[in-house]
Amino acid sequence: MKKKIAVAGANGKMGQEVVHAIEGADDLEMIACIDPSFKDGVGECSAGDTCGFYSDLVEALEVAKPDVLVDFTRPDVVEVNLREALSRNIDCVVGTTGLCAETLEELGAIGDESTCLFVAPNFAIGAVLLMKYAQDASKVMKKAEIIELHHDKKLDKPSGTALRTAQMMEGDPEIHSVRLPGLVAHQEVVFGDVGQTLTIRHDSIDRTSFMPGVVLACRRVGESSGLIVGLENFLDEE
Ligand code: NAP
């Protein structure tokens, strides 16, 4: 049986790509697109006929009864969305950034013993590798700074990826944020030592870069419970 997926933020930049990616996965079924712009249950996107459109998240959860809620919304609404889903024992896959560690821990404890809250600061495989390589390098080259560069509509600063990278590295690296039109999502970690530098860089030049990770998370999220942070938790098992 196909896993039923609801997407919050379905008419946003990421949400539209997510809906398209879920529609292309044989074992997943898009059943609810949720976005304030879908007034009176009407919306336009790449979802098929069996998918409903909702402007209200609670209505979508009650009517469509998804197995998984995917959230790519806004830092100021994601927490409320997750409380609604987790309290109904619906697994969550979260790309929205801006939630602090304490809030995530608290949210991860909502729901029954089989409910899972999966959060990825970055769903792109290259960014996951960048974080791992930066963590390894920081054990040897102790001085480093992080430069994250994003499109100018991004609401939070520094990015969730930069915060997560800094958390994983030794040496408490400083983070610099750049917001400019034309950018998508990019990050450099620059290490400095006597007479040399080492730069590790990742570029998401298109939002499709995140989609294999989102689809993988939708497939795997039901296998675990509680709070899981980072796509690497699912990649190791591939
Ligand atoms: P966006 O284009 O602004 O899309 C967000 C969408 O959510 C908008 O359509 C917005 O509608 C809608 N929305 C607002 N409140 C809602 C609610 N209560 N329920 C459902 N939908 C709601 O933003 P984006 O560029 O797609 O980014 C979304 C989030 O994903 C951001 O936090 C971003 O940092 C993050 N992100 C994560 C990754 C990753 O790999 N983890 C990658 C890229 C982006 P309105 O415009 O009407 O408010």
Side-chain angles (χ1 to χ4, degrees):
M1 208 163 74
K2 291 185 179 185
K3 227 180 204 185
K4 295 178 185 169
I5 312 294
V7 175
N11 206 24
K13 292 182 283 298
M14 285 294 289
Q16 290 184 35
E17 289 291 346
V18 170
V19 171
H20 192 61
I22 301 291
E23 284 287 333
D26 291 344
D27 53 343
L28 304 176
E29 181 184 5
M30 267 305 312
I31 58 154
C33 285
I34 309 157
D35 199 281
S37 60
F38 297 149
K39 299 267 185 254
D40 304 320
V42 179
E44 271 186 37
C45 71
S46 57
D49 294 343
T50 54
C51 183
F53 293 90
Y54 304 85
S55 57
D56 182 64
L57 178 117
V58 171
E59 184 192 350
L61 300 182
E62 291 290 334
V63 174
K65 302 199 183 309
D67 299 311
V68 179
L69 175 73
V70 180
D71 191 294
F72 279 92
T73 57
R74 307 165 49 104
D76 55 336
V77 304
V78 58
E79 182 181 340
V80 173
N81 286 355
L82 298 182
R83 281 187 194 284
E84 295 291 355
L86 293 165
S87 63
R88 290 171 173 79
N89 301 322
I90 296 169
D91 293 330
C92 294
V93 168
V94 183
T96 311
T97 44
L99 286 168
C100 69
E102 292 74 24
T103 304
L104 286 176
E105 287 291 343
E106 193 220 319
L107 290 170
I110 302 176
D112 64 17
E113 62 284 350
S114 68
T115 307
C116 183
L117 169 59
F118 174 75
V119 183
N122 201 311
F123 280 94
I125 177 70
V128 174
L129 291 174
L130 176 147
M131 288 187 258
K132 181 181 186 315
Y133 297 153
Q135 181 181 40
D136 290 348
S138 73
K139 292 172 186 159
V140 182
M141 297 181 79
K142 304 282 183 194
K143 291 202 169 169
E145 301 204 1
I146 298 171
I147 307 161
E148 57 96 346
L149 312 92
H150 283 82
H151 59 89
D152 59 343
K153 301 288 187 294
K154 185 170 174 60
L155 296 178
D156 55 320
K157 186 196 294 194
S159 70
T161 307
L163 288 170
R164 175 73 174 157
T165 310
Q167 188 188 42
M168 290 168 67
M169 289 171 60
E170 291 185 15
D172 197 18
E174 195 175 327
I175 303 173
H176 309 271
S177 298
V178 178
R179 297 286 176 268
L180 286 172
L183 295 169
V184 179
H186 318 258
Q187 181 168 294
E188 280 186 13
V189 183
V190 185
F191 295 85
D193 208 332
V194 181
Q196 61 182 316
T197 64
L198 167 68
T199 301
I200 307 174
R201 181 176 171 114
H202 175 258
D203 296 276
S204 274
I205 53 177
D206 190 285
R207 289 184 178 82
T208 53
S209 62
F210 304 111
M211 294 310 127
V214 175
V215 170
L216 175 67
C218 287
R219 288 181 175 137
R220 290 289 180 83
V221 68
E223 298 170 8
S224 313
S225 63
L227 173 66
I228 302 177
V229 178
L231 193 66
E232 60 276 15
N233 290 288
F234 293 146
L235 292 173
D236 287 347
E237 297 168 29
E238 282 284 280

